[in-house]
Amino acid sequence: MEPFLLAAALVVVAGAGIAAAALLARQRRETADLRAQNAVLARGLDLREKELRHLADVRLPELMESLHNPGVRVTGPLHDLDREAPAYGQALRTVTELFAGSAARVRERADLSAKSTLRAMMRAVQSLANEQQLAISDMQERHDDPDVLEGLLRVDHMNAQLGRRAQATAVLCGSWPGQQRSASSMSDVVRGATSRIRDYLRVNIQGPVNTAVTSRAVEPIVLTLAELLDNAARHSRPDTTVEVNFQSTHNGVAIMIDDAGVAMDAEELQRAADLLSGDASVDIHRLGDPPRVGFAVAGVLAARYGFRVSVDTRSPYGGVRAVVFVPSALLTDLPGERAPDPAGQDAAAGSGPAPAARTDVPATPGGLPKRTRVAVAERPAGEQEPPAAPEPGAPPPLRPARETAAGLGAWQRGTRSGRASTPSDGGGPGIESKDLRP
């Protein structure tokens, strides 16, 4: 009996040992699995923590900066989230997209608010500048002293520059040019733009063409040319000239502006091309300090009215060439131009040469000339003959401001005497004053 009990006890002990060994092995496997899972979870938590810190410290600030500066590159995640944590990677992408959309909407609202405020302010400035222009014109009508007129001419020129700055800023903020002009010749359009810049004496106009700009496009093209001429004059030496040439094409006219200043590099040319295209909305916060609005305004007006503006470094003087291409749809015949009368020509042929009558000076119904800023006053009696015309291609001689003022004073005295006299028809009005400057 005892051996049997001993054998049974041994069997029980062996079974218990085997069970204990199996349980121990299982526990070890489970412990190893738990340790592996714990390591995976710990690595996942570390990955998420690093990605969150990287998102907050690097990616979102770069994303915000890229909304203001497209050249900024936004850094990607630190890890391959599509392989290591696909769900977490998708969640981060959703967060960045929501952030970018919210930031873009906030920036758009801020930009619209800033433009609205600036537009209202510039309209007020334009209104004051126009009132000041009327006051200056009235003073020019009433005074004929050369010293007074010289000062008024200087104030008039400064007021024209002030009005252009306010007008350009208003256009950049979504406003319209705000002035309607009659159709004007290409030469008058360029002269009108020249009169609105500080260094107008340095602009040399060559080779005018026998065509005019339609009424709706005169003011936009004048403002565009003024900004380009001002840019050319400011970025070139003060002892150099800014050359303006015209080139007729089969579908329009190109106005070429060449300066002898510093050329633009590839990055500057690309940025200028982006602004001049007018394809995207201009961010007024990215125009520099002080703001450089010339190219931006030119691009807005070109896209709105249908002409084209470009810049490159092909200037023969080593600087920059700006080209304003006016298509045929914006061109018309010169105002006041009439075809010759064959019958009149035959009659004139039999009677010898006749003096040519001027048809470009506007007149009142009574026959008296209207005062304009572009018309040349008749020379009073006793005044010396004008100097001989310069050689072709040579810049016109500059008249001193006092001499110009003296001529205007003499012209004022003549027009006053004309007002005092009664026209022959007995019912014509007196001399009218009208600002024809584009």
Side-chain angles (χ1 to χ4, degrees), residues 87-148:
Y88 186 71
Q90 181 59 39
L92 287 185
R93 282 192 293 271
T94 302
V95 169
T96 55
E97 291 172 359
L98 289 174
F99 179 84
S102 299
R105 288 190 293 272
V106 169
R107 182 176 62 87
E108 182 178 359
R109 287 195 295 268
D111 187 60
L112 290 176
S113 177
K115 285 184 176 180
S116 177
T117 303
L118 274 177
R119 183 168 59 247
M121 293 174 60
M122 291 303 104
R123 283 176 177 172
V125 174
Q126 281 184 274
S127 178
L128 292 174
N130 291 334
E131 292 179 11
Q132 184 169 271
Q133 181 62 54
L134 293 176
I136 295 172
S137 298
D138 180 66
M139 293 183 68
Q140 290 176 344
E141 292 276 351
R142 293 186 290 105
H143 294 280
D144 55 11
D145 182 80
D147 292 330
V148 175

Short mmCIF file of all heavy atoms in Angstrom, two decimals, residues 87-148:
data_model
loop_
_atom_site.label_atom_id
_atom_site.label_comp_id
_atom_site.label_asym_id
_atom_site.label_seq_id
_atom_site.Cartn_x
_atom_site.Cartn_y
_atom_site.Cartn_z
N ALA A 87 -3.96 57.40 -38.26
CA ALA A 87 -5.10 58.16 -37.72
C ALA A 87 -4.63 59.48 -37.10
O ALA A 87 -5.27 60.53 -37.28
CB ALA A 87 -5.84 57.32 -36.69
N TYR A 88 -3.53 59.41 -36.38
CA TYR A 88 -3.01 60.63 -35.76
C TYR A 88 -2.53 61.61 -36.83
O TYR A 88 -2.73 62.82 -36.71
CB TYR A 88 -1.87 60.26 -34.82
CG TYR A 88 -1.36 61.42 -34.01
CD1 TYR A 88 -2.12 61.97 -32.99
CD2 TYR A 88 -0.10 61.97 -34.26
CE1 TYR A 88 -1.66 63.05 -32.25
CE2 TYR A 88 0.37 63.04 -33.53
CZ TYR A 88 -0.41 63.58 -32.52
OH TYR A 88 0.05 64.64 -31.79
N GLY A 89 -1.89 61.11 -37.88
CA GLY A 89 -1.45 61.98 -38.97
C GLY A 89 -2.62 62.66 -39.65
O GLY A 89 -2.57 63.86 -39.98
N GLN A 90 -3.73 61.92 -39.87
CA GLN A 90 -4.92 62.53 -40.47
C GLN A 90 -5.50 63.60 -39.56
O GLN A 90 -5.95 64.66 -40.02
CB GLN A 90 -5.96 61.44 -40.75
CG GLN A 90 -7.24 61.95 -41.39
CD GLN A 90 -6.99 62.63 -42.72
OE1 GLN A 90 -6.16 62.18 -43.51
NE2 GLN A 90 -7.70 63.72 -42.98
N ALA A 91 -5.47 63.36 -38.25
CA ALA A 91 -5.98 64.35 -37.30
C ALA A 91 -5.13 65.63 -37.34
O ALA A 91 -5.68 66.74 -37.30
CB ALA A 91 -5.99 63.76 -35.89
N LEU A 92 -3.82 65.48 -37.44
CA LEU A 92 -2.96 66.67 -37.52
C LEU A 92 -3.21 67.45 -38.81
O LEU A 92 -3.21 68.69 -38.81
CB LEU A 92 -1.49 66.26 -37.42
CG LEU A 92 -0.98 65.81 -36.05
CD1 LEU A 92 0.51 65.56 -36.11
CD2 LEU A 92 -1.29 66.83 -34.98
N ARG A 93 -3.42 66.72 -39.91
CA ARG A 93 -3.72 67.41 -41.17
C ARG A 93 -5.03 68.18 -41.07
O ARG A 93 -5.16 69.30 -41.59
CB ARG A 93 -3.77 66.40 -42.32
CG ARG A 93 -2.41 65.97 -42.81
CD ARG A 93 -2.50 65.21 -44.13
NE ARG A 93 -3.17 63.93 -43.96
CZ ARG A 93 -2.55 62.80 -43.64
NH1 ARG A 93 -1.23 62.80 -43.44
NH2 ARG A 93 -3.21 61.67 -43.53
N THR A 94 -6.01 67.60 -40.42
CA THR A 94 -7.29 68.30 -40.23
C THR A 94 -7.10 69.57 -39.41
O THR A 94 -7.67 70.63 -39.72
CB THR A 94 -8.30 67.38 -39.54
OG1 THR A 94 -8.47 66.19 -40.31
CG2 THR A 94 -9.64 68.07 -39.37
N VAL A 95 -6.26 69.49 -38.37
CA VAL A 95 -6.00 70.65 -37.53
C VAL A 95 -5.33 71.76 -38.34
O VAL A 95 -5.71 72.94 -38.26
CB VAL A 95 -5.15 70.26 -36.31
CG1 VAL A 95 -4.65 71.50 -35.57
CG2 VAL A 95 -5.96 69.39 -35.35
N THR A 96 -4.31 71.40 -39.11
CA THR A 96 -3.60 72.42 -39.90
C THR A 96 -4.50 73.04 -40.96
O THR A 96 -4.43 74.25 -41.22
CB THR A 96 -2.36 71.80 -40.56
OG1 THR A 96 -2.75 70.66 -41.33
CG2 THR A 96 -1.34 71.38 -39.52
N GLU A 97 -5.38 72.24 -41.58
CA GLU A 97 -6.29 72.78 -42.58
C GLU A 97 -7.29 73.75 -41.95
O GLU A 97 -7.59 74.81 -42.51
CB GLU A 97 -7.01 71.65 -43.30
CG GLU A 97 -6.10 70.83 -44.21
CD GLU A 97 -6.80 69.60 -44.76
OE1 GLU A 97 -8.00 69.41 -44.41
OE2 GLU A 97 -6.18 68.84 -45.53
N LEU A 98 -7.82 73.37 -40.79
CA LEU A 98 -8.73 74.27 -40.09
C LEU A 98 -8.03 75.56 -39.68
O LEU A 98 -8.59 76.66 -39.80
CB LEU A 98 -9.31 73.57 -38.86
CG LEU A 98 -10.31 72.45 -39.12
CD1 LEU A 98 -10.68 71.75 -37.82
CD2 LEU A 98 -11.56 72.99 -39.81
N PHE A 99 -6.80 75.43 -39.22
CA PHE A 99 -6.04 76.62 -38.81
C PHE A 99 -5.76 77.52 -40.01
O PHE A 99 -5.93 78.74 -39.93
CB PHE A 99 -4.72 76.18 -38.16
CG PHE A 99 -3.85 77.32 -37.75
CD1 PHE A 99 -4.03 77.95 -36.52
CD2 PHE A 99 -2.83 77.79 -38.58
CE1 PHE A 99 -3.24 79.02 -36.14
CE2 PHE A 99 -2.04 78.85 -38.20
CZ PHE A 99 -2.24 79.47 -36.97
N ALA A 100 -5.35 76.91 -41.12
CA ALA A 100 -5.06 77.71 -42.32
C ALA A 100 -6.31 78.41 -42.83
O ALA A 100 -6.28 79.58 -43.21
CB ALA A 100 -4.46 76.81 -43.41
N GLY A 101 -7.45 77.68 -42.85
CA GLY A 101 -8.68 78.30 -43.30
C GLY A 101 -9.12 79.45 -42.41
O GLY A 101 -9.53 80.52 -42.89
N SER A 102 -9.04 79.24 -41.10
CA SER A 102 -9.42 80.30 -40.16
C SER A 102 -8.50 81.50 -40.29
O SER A 102 -8.95 82.66 -40.31
CB SER A 102 -9.40 79.76 -38.73
OG SER A 102 -10.31 78.70 -38.57
N ALA A 103 -7.19 81.25 -40.40
CA ALA A 103 -6.24 82.35 -40.53
C ALA A 103 -6.46 83.11 -41.83
O ALA A 103 -6.37 84.35 -41.86
CB ALA A 103 -4.81 81.82 -40.46
N ALA A 104 -6.76 82.39 -42.91
CA ALA A 104 -7.00 83.06 -44.19
C ALA A 104 -8.25 83.93 -44.13
O ALA A 104 -8.26 85.05 -44.66
CB ALA A 104 -7.13 82.02 -45.30
N ARG A 105 -9.30 83.44 -43.47
CA ARG A 105 -10.51 84.25 -43.34
C ARG A 105 -10.28 85.48 -42.48
O ARG A 105 -10.77 86.57 -42.79
CB ARG A 105 -11.64 83.39 -42.78
CG ARG A 105 -12.20 82.37 -43.77
CD ARG A 105 -13.45 81.73 -43.23
NE ARG A 105 -13.19 80.90 -42.06
CZ ARG A 105 -12.86 79.62 -42.11
NH1 ARG A 105 -12.74 79.02 -43.29
NH2 ARG A 105 -12.65 78.93 -41.02
N VAL A 106 -9.53 85.30 -41.40
CA VAL A 106 -9.22 86.45 -40.55
C VAL A 106 -8.39 87.48 -41.32
O VAL A 106 -8.63 88.69 -41.24
CB VAL A 106 -8.48 85.99 -39.28
CG1 VAL A 106 -7.92 87.18 -38.52
CG2 VAL A 106 -9.41 85.18 -38.38
N ARG A 107 -7.39 87.00 -42.07
CA ARG A 107 -6.55 87.92 -42.84
C ARG A 107 -7.38 88.62 -43.92
O ARG A 107 -7.20 89.82 -44.17
CB ARG A 107 -5.41 87.15 -43.50
CG ARG A 107 -4.46 88.02 -44.30
CD ARG A 107 -3.30 87.19 -44.83
NE ARG A 107 -3.75 86.17 -45.73
CZ ARG A 107 -3.93 86.34 -47.05
NH1 ARG A 107 -3.69 87.53 -47.59
NH2 ARG A 107 -4.33 85.36 -47.80
N GLU A 108 -8.30 87.90 -44.55
CA GLU A 108 -9.14 88.51 -45.58
C GLU A 108 -10.04 89.59 -44.98
O GLU A 108 -10.19 90.68 -45.55
CB GLU A 108 -9.99 87.44 -46.25
CG GLU A 108 -10.86 87.96 -47.38
CD GLU A 108 -11.64 86.85 -48.05
OE1 GLU A 108 -11.50 85.68 -47.64
OE2 GLU A 108 -12.42 87.16 -48.97
N ARG A 109 -10.65 89.29 -43.82
CA ARG A 109 -11.49 90.30 -43.18
C ARG A 109 -10.67 91.52 -42.75
O ARG A 109 -11.12 92.66 -42.89
CB ARG A 109 -12.20 89.69 -41.97
CG ARG A 109 -13.32 88.74 -42.33
CD ARG A 109 -14.21 88.47 -41.13
NE ARG A 109 -13.48 87.76 -40.08
CZ ARG A 109 -13.42 86.44 -39.96
NH1 ARG A 109 -14.06 85.67 -40.84
NH2 ARG A 109 -12.76 85.88 -38.97
N ALA A 110 -9.46 91.27 -42.23
CA ALA A 110 -8.61 92.39 -41.83
C ALA A 110 -8.20 93.22 -43.04
O ALA A 110 -8.17 94.47 -42.98
CB ALA A 110 -7.38 91.87 -41.10
N ASP A 111 -7.91 92.55 -44.17
CA ASP A 111 -7.51 93.27 -45.37
C ASP A 111 -8.67 94.09 -45.91
O ASP A 111 -8.49 95.26 -46.31
CB ASP A 111 -7.03 92.26 -46.42
CG ASP A 111 -6.44 92.93 -47.64
OD1 ASP A 111 -5.45 93.66 -47.51
OD2 ASP A 111 -6.98 92.72 -48.75
N LEU A 112 -9.88 93.52 -45.93
CA LEU A 112 -11.04 94.26 -46.41
C LEU A 112 -11.34 95.45 -45.50
O LEU A 112 -11.68 96.54 -45.99
CB LEU A 112 -12.26 93.33 -46.47
CG LEU A 112 -12.23 92.25 -47.55
CD1 LEU A 112 -13.45 91.35 -47.44
CD2 LEU A 112 -12.18 92.88 -48.94
N SER A 113 -11.19 95.25 -44.21
CA SER A 113 -11.42 96.36 -43.28
C SER A 113 -10.40 97.47 -43.48
O SER A 113 -10.75 98.66 -43.51
CB SER A 113 -11.37 95.84 -41.84
OG SER A 113 -11.52 96.89 -40.92
N ALA A 114 -9.13 97.09 -43.63
CA ALA A 114 -8.09 98.10 -43.85
C ALA A 114 -8.31 98.83 -45.17
O ALA A 114 -8.17 100.07 -45.24
CB ALA A 114 -6.72 97.44 -43.82
N LYS A 115 -8.68 98.10 -46.23
CA LYS A 115 -8.91 98.74 -47.52
C LYS A 115 -10.12 99.67 -47.46
O LYS A 115 -10.09 100.77 -48.05
CB LYS A 115 -9.12 97.68 -48.60
CG LYS A 115 -7.84 96.97 -49.03
CD LYS A 115 -8.12 96.01 -50.16
CE LYS A 115 -6.82 95.36 -50.65
NZ LYS A 115 -7.07 94.41 -51.76
N SER A 116 -11.16 99.25 -46.76
CA SER A 116 -12.34 100.11 -46.64
C SER A 116 -12.00 101.41 -45.92
O SER A 116 -12.41 102.50 -46.33
CB SER A 116 -13.45 99.36 -45.91
OG SER A 116 -14.57 100.18 -45.73
N THR A 117 -11.22 101.30 -44.84
CA THR A 117 -10.83 102.50 -44.10
C THR A 117 -9.95 103.41 -44.95
O THR A 117 -10.17 104.64 -45.00
CB THR A 117 -10.10 102.10 -42.81
OG1 THR A 117 -10.94 101.25 -42.03
CG2 THR A 117 -9.72 103.32 -42.01
N LEU A 118 -8.95 102.82 -45.61
CA LEU A 118 -8.07 103.62 -46.46
C LEU A 118 -8.83 104.26 -47.62
O LEU A 118 -8.57 105.41 -47.98
CB LEU A 118 -6.94 102.75 -47.00
CG LEU A 118 -5.71 102.58 -46.13
CD1 LEU A 118 -4.73 101.63 -46.78
CD2 LEU A 118 -5.04 103.92 -45.86
N ARG A 119 -9.77 103.51 -48.19
CA ARG A 119 -10.54 104.06 -49.31
C ARG A 119 -11.33 105.29 -48.88
O ARG A 119 -11.36 106.30 -49.58
CB ARG A 119 -11.47 102.98 -49.86
CG ARG A 119 -12.25 103.42 -51.08
CD ARG A 119 -12.93 102.25 -51.77
NE ARG A 119 -13.85 101.56 -50.88
CZ ARG A 119 -13.67 100.32 -50.42
NH1 ARG A 119 -12.59 99.64 -50.77
NH2 ARG A 119 -14.56 99.74 -49.63
N ALA A 120 -11.99 105.21 -47.72
CA ALA A 120 -12.75 106.35 -47.23
C ALA A 120 -11.82 107.54 -46.94
O ALA A 120 -12.15 108.70 -47.26
CB ALA A 120 -13.52 105.96 -45.98
N MET A 121 -10.65 107.26 -46.35
CA MET A 121 -9.72 108.33 -46.05
C MET A 121 -9.20 108.98 -47.33
O MET A 121 -9.10 110.21 -47.43
CB MET A 121 -8.56 107.79 -45.21
CG MET A 121 -8.95 107.34 -43.82
SD MET A 121 -7.59 106.56 -42.95
CE MET A 121 -6.39 107.89 -42.91
N MET A 122 -8.86 108.18 -48.32
CA MET A 122 -8.31 108.73 -49.56
C MET A 122 -9.37 109.50 -50.34
O MET A 122 -9.05 110.47 -51.04
CB MET A 122 -7.74 107.60 -50.42
CG MET A 122 -6.48 106.98 -49.85
SD MET A 122 -5.15 108.18 -49.55
CE MET A 122 -5.24 108.35 -47.77
N ARG A 123 -10.63 109.08 -50.24
CA ARG A 123 -11.68 109.87 -50.89
C ARG A 123 -11.77 111.26 -50.27
O ARG A 123 -11.98 112.26 -50.98
CB ARG A 123 -13.01 109.13 -50.77
CG ARG A 123 -13.16 107.96 -51.74
CD ARG A 123 -14.45 107.21 -51.49
NE ARG A 123 -14.65 106.13 -52.46
CZ ARG A 123 -15.61 105.23 -52.37
NH1 ARG A 123 -16.47 105.28 -51.35
NH2 ARG A 123 -15.73 104.28 -53.27
N ALA A 124 -11.66 111.31 -48.95
CA ALA A 124 -11.68 112.62 -48.30
C ALA A 124 -10.48 113.46 -48.73
O ALA A 124 -10.62 114.67 -48.98
CB ALA A 124 -11.68 112.43 -46.78
N VAL A 125 -9.29 112.83 -48.82
CA VAL A 125 -8.10 113.56 -49.26
C VAL A 125 -8.26 114.03 -50.70
O VAL A 125 -7.90 115.17 -51.06
CB VAL A 125 -6.85 112.68 -49.09
CG1 VAL A 125 -5.63 113.38 -49.69
CG2 VAL A 125 -6.60 112.38 -47.62
N GLN A 126 -8.82 113.16 -51.58
CA GLN A 126 -9.05 113.55 -52.96
C GLN A 126 -10.01 114.73 -53.05
O GLN A 126 -9.80 115.65 -53.85
CB GLN A 126 -9.62 112.37 -53.75
CG GLN A 126 -8.58 111.34 -54.18
CD GLN A 126 -9.22 110.27 -55.03
OE1 GLN A 126 -9.74 109.28 -54.53
NE2 GLN A 126 -9.18 110.47 -56.34
N SER A 127 -11.05 114.70 -52.24
CA SER A 127 -12.01 115.81 -52.26
C SER A 127 -11.33 117.12 -51.85
O SER A 127 -11.54 118.16 -52.49
CB SER A 127 -13.17 115.49 -51.32
OG SER A 127 -14.09 116.57 -51.27
N LEU A 128 -10.52 117.07 -50.81
CA LEU A 128 -9.80 118.27 -50.39
C LEU A 128 -8.81 118.73 -51.46
O LEU A 128 -8.65 119.94 -51.70
CB LEU A 128 -9.07 118.01 -49.07
CG LEU A 128 -9.96 117.79 -47.84
CD1 LEU A 128 -9.12 117.38 -46.64
CD2 LEU A 128 -10.76 119.04 -47.54
N ALA A 129 -8.13 117.77 -52.11
CA ALA A 129 -7.18 118.14 -53.17
C ALA A 129 -7.91 118.80 -54.34
O ALA A 129 -7.41 119.77 -54.94
CB ALA A 129 -6.40 116.91 -53.63
N ASN A 130 -9.10 118.29 -54.69
CA ASN A 130 -9.86 118.89 -55.78
C ASN A 130 -10.33 120.30 -55.41
O ASN A 130 -10.29 121.22 -56.24
CB ASN A 130 -11.07 118.02 -56.12
CG ASN A 130 -10.67 116.70 -56.77
OD1 ASN A 130 -9.61 116.61 -57.38
ND2 ASN A 130 -11.49 115.69 -56.62
N GLU A 131 -10.78 120.47 -54.16
CA GLU A 131 -11.18 121.81 -53.73
C GLU A 131 -9.97 122.76 -53.76
O GLU A 131 -10.09 123.93 -54.15
CB GLU A 131 -11.77 121.75 -52.33
CG GLU A 131 -13.10 121.03 -52.25
CD GLU A 131 -13.63 120.98 -50.83
OE1 GLU A 131 -13.07 121.68 -49.97
OE2 GLU A 131 -14.62 120.25 -50.59
N GLN A 132 -8.83 122.25 -53.34
CA GLN A 132 -7.63 123.08 -53.37
C GLN A 132 -7.24 123.43 -54.80
O GLN A 132 -6.78 124.54 -55.07
CB GLN A 132 -6.49 122.34 -52.67
CG GLN A 132 -5.21 123.14 -52.56
CD GLN A 132 -4.21 122.48 -51.64
OE1 GLN A 132 -4.20 122.72 -50.45
NE2 GLN A 132 -3.35 121.62 -52.21
N GLN A 133 -7.43 122.48 -55.72
CA GLN A 133 -7.13 122.74 -57.13
C GLN A 133 -8.01 123.85 -57.69
O GLN A 133 -7.56 124.73 -58.44
CB GLN A 133 -7.32 121.46 -57.94
CG GLN A 133 -7.00 121.63 -59.43
CD GLN A 133 -5.56 122.02 -59.65
OE1 GLN A 133 -4.66 121.35 -59.19
NE2 GLN A 133 -5.35 123.12 -60.34
N LEU A 134 -9.31 123.84 -57.31
CA LEU A 134 -10.21 124.89 -57.75
C LEU A 134 -9.77 126.25 -57.20
O LEU A 134 -9.81 127.26 -57.91
CB LEU A 134 -11.63 124.57 -57.31
CG LEU A 134 -12.30 123.36 -57.98
CD1 LEU A 134 -13.67 123.09 -57.37
CD2 LEU A 134 -12.41 123.56 -59.48
N ALA A 135 -9.35 126.25 -55.93
CA ALA A 135 -8.88 127.51 -55.34
C ALA A 135 -7.63 128.02 -56.04
O ALA A 135 -7.48 129.22 -56.31
CB ALA A 135 -8.63 127.32 -53.85
N ILE A 136 -6.70 127.11 -56.36
CA ILE A 136 -5.48 127.51 -57.06
C ILE A 136 -5.80 128.05 -58.45
O ILE A 136 -5.26 129.07 -58.89
CB ILE A 136 -4.51 126.32 -57.14
CG1 ILE A 136 -4.04 125.91 -55.74
CG2 ILE A 136 -3.31 126.66 -58.02
CD1 ILE A 136 -3.23 124.63 -55.72
N SER A 137 -6.70 127.35 -59.16
CA SER A 137 -7.08 127.81 -60.50
C SER A 137 -7.73 129.19 -60.44
O SER A 137 -7.49 130.04 -61.29
CB SER A 137 -8.03 126.80 -61.14
OG SER A 137 -7.40 125.55 -61.30
N ASP A 138 -8.57 129.40 -59.41
CA ASP A 138 -9.21 130.71 -59.27
C ASP A 138 -8.16 131.80 -59.01
O ASP A 138 -8.25 132.90 -59.55
CB ASP A 138 -10.22 130.65 -58.12
CG ASP A 138 -10.92 131.98 -57.92
OD1 ASP A 138 -11.68 132.39 -58.81
OD2 ASP A 138 -10.71 132.61 -56.86
N MET A 139 -7.16 131.49 -58.19
CA MET A 139 -6.10 132.47 -57.92
C MET A 139 -5.28 132.73 -59.18
O MET A 139 -4.86 133.88 -59.44
CB MET A 139 -5.20 131.97 -56.80
CG MET A 139 -5.89 131.90 -55.44
SD MET A 139 -4.78 131.39 -54.12
CE MET A 139 -3.69 132.82 -54.04
N GLN A 140 -5.05 131.70 -59.99
CA GLN A 140 -4.33 131.91 -61.24
C GLN A 140 -5.13 132.79 -62.19
O GLN A 140 -4.55 133.52 -63.00
CB GLN A 140 -4.01 130.57 -61.89
CG GLN A 140 -2.97 129.76 -61.15
CD GLN A 140 -2.74 128.39 -61.77
OE1 GLN A 140 -3.55 127.92 -62.57
NE2 GLN A 140 -1.65 127.74 -61.41
N GLU A 141 -6.46 132.71 -62.11
CA GLU A 141 -7.30 133.56 -62.94
C GLU A 141 -7.20 135.02 -62.51
O GLU A 141 -7.25 135.93 -63.34
CB GLU A 141 -8.76 133.10 -62.84
CG GLU A 141 -9.04 131.75 -63.45
CD GLU A 141 -9.27 131.85 -64.94
OE1 GLU A 141 -9.38 132.99 -65.44
OE2 GLU A 141 -9.32 130.81 -65.60
N ARG A 142 -7.06 135.26 -61.19
CA ARG A 142 -7.17 136.62 -60.66
C ARG A 142 -5.82 137.34 -60.54
O ARG A 142 -5.80 138.56 -60.41
CB ARG A 142 -7.84 136.58 -59.29
CG ARG A 142 -9.30 136.17 -59.34
CD ARG A 142 -10.00 136.27 -57.99
NE ARG A 142 -9.53 135.25 -57.05
CZ ARG A 142 -8.73 135.48 -56.03
NH1 ARG A 142 -8.24 136.69 -55.83
NH2 ARG A 142 -8.36 134.51 -55.21
N HIS A 143 -4.72 136.62 -60.57
CA HIS A 143 -3.41 137.25 -60.35
C HIS A 143 -2.58 137.17 -61.63
O HIS A 143 -2.59 136.15 -62.34
CB HIS A 143 -2.67 136.55 -59.21
CG HIS A 143 -3.32 136.72 -57.88
ND1 HIS A 143 -3.19 137.86 -57.12
CD2 HIS A 143 -4.13 135.89 -57.17
CE1 HIS A 143 -3.88 137.73 -56.00
NE2 HIS A 143 -4.46 136.55 -56.01
N ASP A 144 -1.87 138.24 -61.93
CA ASP A 144 -0.97 138.24 -63.08
C ASP A 144 0.45 138.67 -62.71
O ASP A 144 1.28 138.88 -63.58
CB ASP A 144 -1.51 139.15 -64.19
CG ASP A 144 -1.78 140.57 -63.69
OD1 ASP A 144 -1.35 140.89 -62.56
OD2 ASP A 144 -2.42 141.34 -64.42
N ASP A 145 0.72 138.77 -61.40
CA ASP A 145 2.07 139.08 -60.98
C ASP A 145 2.96 137.86 -61.16
O ASP A 145 2.62 136.76 -60.72
CB ASP A 145 2.06 139.51 -59.50
CG ASP A 145 3.46 139.90 -59.03
OD1 ASP A 145 3.89 141.03 -59.30
OD2 ASP A 145 4.11 139.04 -58.41
N PRO A 146 4.13 138.00 -61.82
CA PRO A 146 4.97 136.82 -62.08
C PRO A 146 5.40 136.10 -60.81
O PRO A 146 5.42 134.86 -60.79
CB PRO A 146 6.18 137.41 -62.82
CG PRO A 146 5.67 138.67 -63.43
CD PRO A 146 4.65 139.21 -62.49
N ASP A 147 5.72 136.83 -59.75
CA ASP A 147 6.14 136.17 -58.51
C ASP A 147 5.00 135.36 -57.91
O ASP A 147 5.20 134.23 -57.44
CB ASP A 147 6.63 137.21 -57.50
CG ASP A 147 7.92 137.88 -57.95
OD1 ASP A 147 8.70 137.22 -58.66
OD2 ASP A 147 8.14 139.05 -57.59
N VAL A 148 3.81 135.92 -57.93
CA VAL A 148 2.65 135.20 -57.39
C VAL A 148 2.35 133.96 -58.24
O VAL A 148 2.11 132.88 -57.72
CB VAL A 148 1.43 136.12 -57.30
CG1 VAL A 148 0.19 135.34 -56.85
CG2 VAL A 148 1.70 137.28 -56.35
#
